[in-house]
């Protein structure tokens, strides 16, 4: 089995469902910082908030505490959560 150096390659080859929550989040984060990969930052965030659900309703300012996250990355994460909320709303409305 191939060893992936970035979750994007794993997603492309094996599908999104094969990724862990940290791998999915690291794709949104995109790049890390010196000495810390995007996946390590993602794991820190998930450890702090417990899950995507725990992250979802946090004020954007709470994400600034993580080294390696700036406005652009935080906005990207917030946009992904808003897309998910809208999908859920549409699914519920269709039932």
């Amino acid at each position: 089995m191939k060893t992936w150096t970035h979750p994007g390659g794993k997603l492309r080859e094996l599908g999104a469902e094969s990724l862990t929550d940290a791998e999915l989040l690291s794709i949104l984060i995109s790049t890390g910082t010196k000495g810390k990969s995007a996946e390590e930052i993602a794991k820190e965030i998930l450890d702090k908030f417990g899950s995507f659900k725990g992250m979802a309703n946090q004020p954007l300012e709470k994400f600034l505490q993580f080294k390696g996250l700036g406005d652009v990355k935080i906005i990207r994460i917030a946009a992904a959560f808003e897309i998910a909320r809208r999908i859920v709303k549409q699914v519920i409305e269709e039932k």
Side-chain angles (χ1 to χ4, degrees):
M1 179 160 209
K2 182 168 178 154
T3 300
W4 302 101
T5 58
H6 188 275
K10 184 177 176 183
L11 185 146
R12 186 176 55 248
E13 295 296 321
L14 302 176
E17 63 280 352
S18 71
L19 274 66
T20 65
D21 288 352
E23 289 171 326
L24 288 168
L25 183 56
S26 73
I27 290 172
L28 292 175
I29 293 170
S30 184
T31 58
T33 61
K34 188 174 182 175
K36 190 180 291 186
S37 70
E39 194 169 348
E40 289 170 319
I41 296 168
K43 286 177 184 174
E44 284 182 16
I45 295 167
L46 288 166
D47 286 347
K48 170 79 174 179
F49 298 119
S51 65
F52 287 140
K53 183 179 175 188
M55 289 174 59
N57 294 314
Q58 297 297 325
L60 298 181
E61 298 77 32
K62 283 214 172 180
F63 290 90
L64 290 171
Q65 67 184 312
F66 298 98
K67 185 174 177 8
L69 288 188
D71 286 343
V72 172
K73 292 176 182 181
I74 293 169
I75 289 167
R76 193 180 299 137
I77 292 167
F81 278 113
E82 183 56 29
I83 290 168
R85 278 188 201 92
R86 292 180 189 196
I87 291 169
V88 169
K89 183 179 178 192
Q90 288 175 344
V91 168
I92 291 170
E93 288 172 353
E94 289 172 1
K95 288 187 176 191

